[in-house]
Amino acid sequence: MKNLALHWQILIGMVLGVLFGLGMTQWDSAGTPEVHEGASFIKDWIAPIGTIFVNLLKLIAIPLIIASLIKGISDLGDISKFKQIGFRTIGIYVTTTIIAVSIGLTIVNIVKPGSGISEETLAKLIEANQTDQSASANIAGKIETAAKTIDSGPLTFIVDMVPDNIFAAASSNGDMLKVIFFTLFFGISLLLIDKEKSVIIKGFFDGLNDVVLKMVDLIMLIAPYAVFALLANVIVSSGDPDVLVELLSYSFTVLGGLILMIGFYLTLVYFYTGRSPVGFLKAMAPAQLLAFSTSSSAATLPVTMERVEEHIGVEKEVTAFVCPVGATVNMDGTSLYQAVAAVFICFALDHPLTFADQLTIVTTATLASIGSAAVPGAGMVMLVIVLESIGLPSEKLAIGLALIFAVDRPLDMCRTIVNVTGDATVAMLVGKSVGKLGPPKVRDWDDNLEAVK
Ligand code: ASP
């Protein structure tokens, strides 16, 4: 196993995890459906390995952002270059998100999942969630979180980026933008002081950066075992397979859109950077597989950064800014899903949808994906805001969410792959545009594949 490329090791771990999970679902006490020994065994003895792995990745996210961003800015040596990187990053992020929502809307309007859904199926889907107490509590929780977000003012998003205490901000992974803000401020100020004095601080962060990258390497040693645990747990926690079948056309619509989005990124990579799309995918595969297994772009961030920098060759000053900002604000997969889910729910619940409503979806899904946290299930919270913006009455809201809840986790796993791939693509585009895309430090593909133009 050791000689296999990392993405193969992870893939094998995932497949074995799924098989093991499926096998364990068969292990139930005869006649007592409420006692699922297999599921309990996985939850008690296997799942914790996955949790430890995700915690380890999250543990190093903040130190990694701080060390690499400070090193990145101080290596840049000139603030004007940084302005260029900043504006281009935000501009491309917003553009790709709008494209993602538009792809989602186009495909959902063509396929029209949910429009032919029978009353009986609807009742069955809704009942499946009402009888499952954890599902209905979960849905209620998402609506409540969304309500809190709506209650905040229009500029809250910007105000929230400025921390009043860096130690408090750095103590929560949810406050990544605050940490980025502080670090940028610190890095720029470091550039403005005497070289003699800044050299010690710069040396410290250089060293810290190497230590944290080594930590990523060490954590990745257990990745194949951890994804085994994560996927086995997903399998034993998933809902009734009959309900999943009812939602096939909706799920395939989301998946189709996500695949188109990946195709769009590969086209950009090929035409704009002249790099091989296959090489890009090979370099990013471990990050994509982790995104799938953890459903969290925040947990995947350390691996995304390492891959983009070392295996693709985007220089640190770009990677250190584009990737963490992307993990927080750029969620193309999530916005595409929100567009499809919103229209699907309207079709299924017979809620009229005008062209203006569809345009509203473009705006709110774009903003909602910026506001979504990079953690499992966050996209569904923001979906509430999208649905409210097109006037879905509140009594239908919970029904709408209940409708798609059963397939949310598998779709979340897939949309997180797109979120992470989008960040890497934009890092490459920005890197190329400011002359910071060099040869990869670690090669995953043949030299002749690397440059196709
Ligand atoms: N799980 C997604 C992410 O972390 C967010 C979501 O779509 O729920 O990128």
Side-chain angles (χ1 to χ4, degrees):
M1 184 111 161
K2 279 218 168 99
N3 294 329
L4 275 181
L6 182 61
H7 58 270
W8 286 117
Q9 295 183 27
I10 297 179
L11 209 56
I12 293 173
M14 288 166 69
V15 172
L16 292 179
V18 169
L19 295 177
F20 184 68
L22 287 174
M24 290 306 259
T25 51
Q26 305 304 316
W27 179 21
D28 283 339
S29 285
T32 51
E34 61 285 356
V35 185
H36 291 284
E37 275 101 342
S40 320
F41 176 81
I42 288 190
K43 285 190 191 313
D44 292 344
W45 297 101
I46 307 288
I49 304 170
T51 313
I52 291 173
F53 175 71
V54 171
N55 285 352
L56 283 173
L57 286 172
K58 289 185 180 165
L59 172 71
I60 53 167
I62 298 270
L64 180 60
I65 294 173
I66 295 178
S68 58
L69 205 48
I70 290 180
K71 178 167 164 38
I73 297 178
S74 50
D75 283 350
L76 214 55
D78 159 21
I79 307 178
S80 66
K81 193 100 187 167
F82 184 72
K83 258 200 272 167
Q84 225 179 17
I85 296 176
F87 282 120
R88 286 187 192 177
T89 304
I90 304 298
I92 305 178
Y93 274 156
V94 173
T95 314
T96 55
T97 306
I98 293 176
I99 292 173
V101 183
S102 310
I103 291 181
L105 278 181
T106 311
I107 188 164
V108 74
N109 278 296
I110 294 173
V111 180
K112 291 201 188 328
S115 53
I117 207 160
S118 68
E119 290 287 323
E120 196 189 324
T121 311
L122 258 182
K124 188 171 152 195
L125 286 169
I126 294 160
E127 197 201 306
N129 282 295
Q130 278 163 352
T131 43
D132 178 348
Q133 283 188 354
S134 76
S136 34
N138 212 322
I139 290 170
K142 286 183 194 300
I143 295 178
E144 204 178 306
T145 316
K148 280 191 201 134
T149 315
I150 295 171
D151 280 347
S152 48
L155 290 184
T156 311
F157 171 62
I158 298 174
V159 175
D160 279 352
M161 275 198 300
V162 185
D164 60 359
N165 182 325
I166 184 56
F167 296 102
S171 68
S172 152
N173 282 336
D175 284 337
M176 215 109 85
L177 281 182
K178 290 186 174 150
V179 176
I180 295 173
F181 177 87
F182 172 80
T183 313
L184 286 178
F185 197 12
F186 185 95
I188 292 170
S189 307
L190 187 66
L191 277 183
L192 300 175
I193 64 168
D194 248 6
K195 259 242 153 61
E196 232 171 75
K197 288 184 182 152
S198 68
V199 84
I200 299 178
I201 301 181
K202 194 171 167 304
F204 169 78
F205 283 107
D206 272 7
L208 182 63
N209 185 62
D210 284 0
V211 173
V212 183
L213 282 177
K214 182 50 82 189
M215 289 169 93
V216 179
D217 287 345
L218 295 177
I219 296 169
M220 287 306 279
L221 292 177
I222 61 161
Y225 310 98
V227 293
F228 171 89
L230 288 165
L231 285 201
N233 191 39
V234 165
I235 295 291
V236 295
S237 316
S238 59
D240 175 2
D242 285 352
V243 176
L244 303 189
V245 171
E246 303 289 356
L247 291 166
L248 271 188
S249 73
Y250 158 69
S251 307
F252 279 125
T253 311
V254 176
L255 288 181
L258 294 178
I259 291 171
L260 283 179
M261 201 58 206
I262 297 272
F264 172 67
Y265 295 142
L266 296 182
T267 314
L268 284 178
V269 165
Y270 180 80
F271 285 105
Y272 189 71
T273 71
R275 289 283 180 90
S276 148
V278 179
F280 171 71
L281 285 180
K282 277 193 181 166
M284 287 309 296
Q288 292 169 321
L289 295 173
L290 278 194
F292 182 80
S293 310
T294 59
S295 278
S296 165
S297 352
T300 313
L301 178 64
V303 184
T304 312
M305 288 173 71
E306 191 250 353
R307 289 272 134 185
V308 169
E309 195 182 325
E310 311 222 314
H311 296 249
I312 292 183
V314 180
E315 287 178 29
K316 183 177 296 299
E317 36 276 60
V318 175
T319 315
F321 176 73
V322 180
C323 294
V325 170
T328 335
V329 305
N330 181 53
M331 299 201 181
D332 297 342
T334 302
S335 55
L336 187 148
Y337 142 86
Q338 283 168 342
V340 176
V343 176
F344 167 75
I345 289 173
C346 291
F347 282 156
L349 300 183
D350 261 338
H351 179 75
L353 206 55
T354 61
F355 184 67
D357 287 335
Q358 306 240 8
L359 289 182
T360 309
I361 293 180
V362 176
T363 331
T364 39
T366 303
L367 294 176
S369 80
I370 293 175
S372 297
V375 295
M380 211 179 185
V381 173
M382 300 313 257
L383 176 63
V384 175
I385 299 179
V386 177
L387 288 170
E388 287 190 338
S389 74
I390 48 173
L392 193 78
S394 55
E395 66 280 5
K396 282 193 176 170
L397 251 183
I399 300 179
L401 293 191
L403 212 54
I404 56 166
F405 191 76
V407 282
D408 194 61
R409 180 65 192 214
L411 293 182
D412 190 0
M413 295 160 85
C414 299
R415 62 190 190 240
T416 309
I417 298 185
V418 174
N419 292 346
V420 165
T421 312
D423 299 344
T425 307
V426 176
M428 258 179 114
L429 301 185
V430 174
K432 173 83 182 176
S433 80
V434 295
K436 298 268 172 208
L437 175 66
K441 294 185 190 113
V442 185
R443 287 182 190 280
D444 296 281
W445 61 89
D446 298 341
D447 284 356
N448 61 350
L449 270 177
E450 183 192 326
V452 285
K453 280 202 335 190

PDB file of all heavy atoms in Angstrom, residues 353-372:
ATOM      1  N   LEU A 353     -43.319  30.095  -9.939  1.00  0.00           N
ATOM      2  CA  LEU A 353     -41.967  30.642 -10.027  1.00  0.00           C
ATOM      3  C   LEU A 353     -41.875  31.485 -11.292  1.00  0.00           C
ATOM      4  O   LEU A 353     -41.985  30.966 -12.405  1.00  0.00           O
ATOM      5  CB  LEU A 353     -41.012  29.447 -10.109  1.00  0.00           C
ATOM      6  CG  LEU A 353     -39.600  29.611  -9.618  1.00  0.00           C
ATOM      7  CD1 LEU A 353     -39.574  30.096  -8.186  1.00  0.00           C
ATOM      8  CD2 LEU A 353     -38.883  28.261  -9.700  1.00  0.00           C
ATOM      9  N   THR A 354     -41.677  32.799 -11.140  1.00  0.00           N
ATOM     10  CA  THR A 354     -41.577  33.649 -12.331  1.00  0.00           C
ATOM     11  C   THR A 354     -40.112  33.774 -12.749  1.00  0.00           C
ATOM     12  O   THR A 354     -39.215  33.330 -12.033  1.00  0.00           O
ATOM     13  CB  THR A 354     -42.095  35.066 -12.011  1.00  0.00           C
ATOM     14  OG1 THR A 354     -41.250  35.576 -10.965  1.00  0.00           O
ATOM     15  CG2 THR A 354     -43.529  35.063 -11.553  1.00  0.00           C
ATOM     16  N   PHE A 355     -39.905  34.425 -13.907  1.00  0.00           N
ATOM     17  CA  PHE A 355     -38.535  34.642 -14.371  1.00  0.00           C
ATOM     18  C   PHE A 355     -37.788  35.537 -13.370  1.00  0.00           C
ATOM     19  O   PHE A 355     -36.618  35.322 -13.058  1.00  0.00           O
ATOM     20  CB  PHE A 355     -38.559  35.275 -15.767  1.00  0.00           C
ATOM     21  CG  PHE A 355     -37.186  35.443 -16.341  1.00  0.00           C
ATOM     22  CD1 PHE A 355     -36.410  34.335 -16.673  1.00  0.00           C
ATOM     23  CD2 PHE A 355     -36.641  36.714 -16.529  1.00  0.00           C
ATOM     24  CE1 PHE A 355     -35.118  34.489 -17.182  1.00  0.00           C
ATOM     25  CE2 PHE A 355     -35.347  36.875 -17.035  1.00  0.00           C
ATOM     26  CZ  PHE A 355     -34.596  35.754 -17.366  1.00  0.00           C
ATOM     27  N   ALA A 356     -38.528  36.531 -12.829  1.00  0.00           N
ATOM     28  CA  ALA A 356     -37.897  37.433 -11.843  1.00  0.00           C
ATOM     29  C   ALA A 356     -37.454  36.639 -10.615  1.00  0.00           C
ATOM     30  O   ALA A 356     -36.395  36.895 -10.036  1.00  0.00           O
ATOM     31  CB  ALA A 356     -38.887  38.522 -11.441  1.00  0.00           C
ATOM     32  N   ASP A 357     -38.278  35.641 -10.242  1.00  0.00           N
ATOM     33  CA  ASP A 357     -37.889  34.803  -9.096  1.00  0.00           C
ATOM     34  C   ASP A 357     -36.580  34.082  -9.388  1.00  0.00           C
ATOM     35  O   ASP A 357     -35.720  33.925  -8.523  1.00  0.00           O
ATOM     36  CB  ASP A 357     -38.965  33.746  -8.805  1.00  0.00           C
ATOM     37  CG  ASP A 357     -40.204  34.343  -8.174  1.00  0.00           C
ATOM     38  OD1 ASP A 357     -40.064  35.405  -7.541  1.00  0.00           O
ATOM     39  OD2 ASP A 357     -41.295  33.772  -8.322  1.00  0.00           O
ATOM     40  N   GLN A 358     -36.449  33.630 -10.628  1.00  0.00           N
ATOM     41  CA  GLN A 358     -35.226  32.889 -10.980  1.00  0.00           C
ATOM     42  C   GLN A 358     -34.009  33.828 -10.904  1.00  0.00           C
ATOM     43  O   GLN A 358     -32.928  33.422 -10.483  1.00  0.00           O
ATOM     44  CB  GLN A 358     -35.345  32.295 -12.390  1.00  0.00           C
ATOM     45  CG  GLN A 358     -36.598  31.447 -12.542  1.00  0.00           C
ATOM     46  CD  GLN A 358     -36.301  29.991 -12.904  1.00  0.00           C
ATOM     47  OE1 GLN A 358     -35.177  29.542 -12.916  1.00  0.00           O
ATOM     48  NE2 GLN A 358     -37.353  29.233 -13.201  1.00  0.00           N
ATOM     49  N   LEU A 359     -34.230  35.085 -11.284  1.00  0.00           N
ATOM     50  CA  LEU A 359     -33.115  36.046 -11.169  1.00  0.00           C
ATOM     51  C   LEU A 359     -32.789  36.299  -9.694  1.00  0.00           C
ATOM     52  O   LEU A 359     -31.632  36.451  -9.305  1.00  0.00           O
ATOM     53  CB  LEU A 359     -33.462  37.370 -11.862  1.00  0.00           C
ATOM     54  CG  LEU A 359     -33.501  37.313 -13.393  1.00  0.00           C
ATOM     55  CD1 LEU A 359     -33.806  38.706 -13.959  1.00  0.00           C
ATOM     56  CD2 LEU A 359     -32.184  36.801 -13.978  1.00  0.00           C
ATOM     57  N   THR A 360     -33.859  36.336  -8.874  1.00  0.00           N
ATOM     58  CA  THR A 360     -33.629  36.505  -7.435  1.00  0.00           C
ATOM     59  C   THR A 360     -32.804  35.348  -6.908  1.00  0.00           C
ATOM     60  O   THR A 360     -31.930  35.524  -6.046  1.00  0.00           O
ATOM     61  CB  THR A 360     -34.988  36.551  -6.680  1.00  0.00           C
ATOM     62  OG1 THR A 360     -35.803  37.496  -7.320  1.00  0.00           O
ATOM     63  CG2 THR A 360     -34.825  36.883  -5.224  1.00  0.00           C
ATOM     64  N   ILE A 361     -33.070  34.149  -7.442  1.00  0.00           N
ATOM     65  CA  ILE A 361     -32.301  32.979  -6.992  1.00  0.00           C
ATOM     66  C   ILE A 361     -30.812  33.184  -7.308  1.00  0.00           C
ATOM     67  O   ILE A 361     -29.942  32.884  -6.500  1.00  0.00           O
ATOM     68  CB  ILE A 361     -32.826  31.677  -7.651  1.00  0.00           C
ATOM     69  CG1 ILE A 361     -34.234  31.377  -7.147  1.00  0.00           C
ATOM     70  CG2 ILE A 361     -31.890  30.499  -7.360  1.00  0.00           C
ATOM     71  CD1 ILE A 361     -34.865  30.130  -7.722  1.00  0.00           C
ATOM     72  N   VAL A 362     -30.534  33.752  -8.494  1.00  0.00           N
ATOM     73  CA  VAL A 362     -29.122  33.970  -8.862  1.00  0.00           C
ATOM     74  C   VAL A 362     -28.450  34.863  -7.816  1.00  0.00           C
ATOM     75  O   VAL A 362     -27.371  34.555  -7.299  1.00  0.00           O
ATOM     76  CB  VAL A 362     -28.998  34.629 -10.265  1.00  0.00           C
ATOM     77  CG1 VAL A 362     -27.536  34.931 -10.581  1.00  0.00           C
ATOM     78  CG2 VAL A 362     -29.603  33.745 -11.338  1.00  0.00           C
ATOM     79  N   THR A 363     -29.128  35.957  -7.455  1.00  0.00           N
ATOM     80  CA  THR A 363     -28.512  36.874  -6.490  1.00  0.00           C
ATOM     81  C   THR A 363     -28.405  36.249  -5.108  1.00  0.00           C
ATOM     82  O   THR A 363     -27.339  36.251  -4.499  1.00  0.00           O
ATOM     83  CB  THR A 363     -29.368  38.158  -6.340  1.00  0.00           C
ATOM     84  OG1 THR A 363     -30.040  38.382  -7.551  1.00  0.00           O
ATOM     85  CG2 THR A 363     -28.570  39.332  -5.917  1.00  0.00           C
ATOM     86  N   THR A 364     -29.525  35.694  -4.627  1.00  0.00           N
ATOM     87  CA  THR A 364     -29.462  35.201  -3.241  1.00  0.00           C
ATOM     88  C   THR A 364     -28.586  33.954  -3.113  1.00  0.00           C
ATOM     89  O   THR A 364     -27.877  33.802  -2.125  1.00  0.00           O
ATOM     90  CB  THR A 364     -30.860  34.889  -2.652  1.00  0.00           C
ATOM     91  OG1 THR A 364     -31.635  34.289  -3.661  1.00  0.00           O
ATOM     92  CG2 THR A 364     -31.539  36.089  -2.111  1.00  0.00           C
ATOM     93  N   ALA A 365     -28.610  33.078  -4.120  1.00  0.00           N
ATOM     94  CA  ALA A 365     -27.770  31.867  -4.010  1.00  0.00           C
ATOM     95  C   ALA A 365     -26.297  32.258  -4.044  1.00  0.00           C
ATOM     96  O   ALA A 365     -25.473  31.654  -3.355  1.00  0.00           O
ATOM     97  CB  ALA A 365     -28.094  30.877  -5.112  1.00  0.00           C
ATOM     98  N   THR A 366     -25.970  33.294  -4.825  1.00  0.00           N
ATOM     99  CA  THR A 366     -24.574  33.754  -4.860  1.00  0.00           C
ATOM    100  C   THR A 366     -24.182  34.288  -3.479  1.00  0.00           C
ATOM    101  O   THR A 366     -23.159  33.899  -2.908  1.00  0.00           O
ATOM    102  CB  THR A 366     -24.403  34.864  -5.920  1.00  0.00           C
ATOM    103  OG1 THR A 366     -24.837  34.350  -7.168  1.00  0.00           O
ATOM    104  CG2 THR A 366     -22.962  35.314  -6.043  1.00  0.00           C
ATOM    105  N   LEU A 367     -25.032  35.175  -2.936  1.00  0.00           N
ATOM    106  CA  LEU A 367     -24.710  35.746  -1.624  1.00  0.00           C
ATOM    107  C   LEU A 367     -24.750  34.673  -0.538  1.00  0.00           C
ATOM    108  O   LEU A 367     -23.905  34.644   0.357  1.00  0.00           O
ATOM    109  CB  LEU A 367     -25.697  36.860  -1.275  1.00  0.00           C
ATOM    110  CG  LEU A 367     -25.606  38.094  -2.180  1.00  0.00           C
ATOM    111  CD1 LEU A 367     -26.680  39.098  -1.836  1.00  0.00           C
ATOM    112  CD2 LEU A 367     -24.225  38.733  -2.066  1.00  0.00           C
ATOM    113  N   ALA A 368     -25.730  33.766  -0.648  1.00  0.00           N
ATOM    114  CA  ALA A 368     -25.865  32.728   0.389  1.00  0.00           C
ATOM    115  C   ALA A 368     -24.657  31.814   0.406  1.00  0.00           C
ATOM    116  O   ALA A 368     -24.208  31.384   1.464  1.00  0.00           O
ATOM    117  CB  ALA A 368     -27.139  31.919   0.161  1.00  0.00           C
ATOM    118  N   SER A 369     -24.107  31.514  -0.779  1.00  0.00           N
ATOM    119  CA  SER A 369     -22.957  30.605  -0.754  1.00  0.00           C
ATOM    120  C   SER A 369     -21.740  31.316  -0.179  1.00  0.00           C
ATOM    121  O   SER A 369     -20.890  30.704   0.457  1.00  0.00           O
ATOM    122  CB  SER A 369     -22.666  30.051  -2.140  1.00  0.00           C
ATOM    123  OG  SER A 369     -21.967  30.972  -2.902  1.00  0.00           O
ATOM    124  N   ILE A 370     -21.681  32.642  -0.345  1.00  0.00           N
ATOM    125  CA  ILE A 370     -20.583  33.392   0.279  1.00  0.00           C
ATOM    126  C   ILE A 370     -20.724  33.312   1.803  1.00  0.00           C
ATOM    127  O   ILE A 370     -19.763  33.150   2.533  1.00  0.00           O
ATOM    128  CB  ILE A 370     -20.610  34.875  -0.187  1.00  0.00           C
ATOM    129  CG1 ILE A 370     -20.288  34.955  -1.674  1.00  0.00           C
ATOM    130  CG2 ILE A 370     -19.641  35.730   0.630  1.00  0.00           C
ATOM    131  CD1 ILE A 370     -20.398  36.329  -2.294  1.00  0.00           C
ATOM    132  N   GLY A 371     -21.980  33.379   2.245  1.00  0.00           N
ATOM    133  CA  GLY A 371     -22.216  33.368   3.697  1.00  0.00           C
ATOM    134  C   GLY A 371     -22.232  31.980   4.311  1.00  0.00           C
ATOM    135  O   GLY A 371     -22.267  31.846   5.525  1.00  0.00           O
ATOM    136  N   SER A 372     -22.219  30.927   3.478  1.00  0.00           N
ATOM    137  CA  SER A 372     -22.292  29.574   4.055  1.00  0.00           C
ATOM    138  C   SER A 372     -20.990  29.212   4.741  1.00  0.00           C
ATOM    139  O   SER A 372     -19.911  29.507   4.231  1.00  0.00           O
ATOM    140  CB  SER A 372     -22.535  28.525   2.962  1.00  0.00           C
ATOM    141  OG  SER A 372     -23.754  28.732   2.328  1.00  0.00           O
TER     142      SER A 372
END
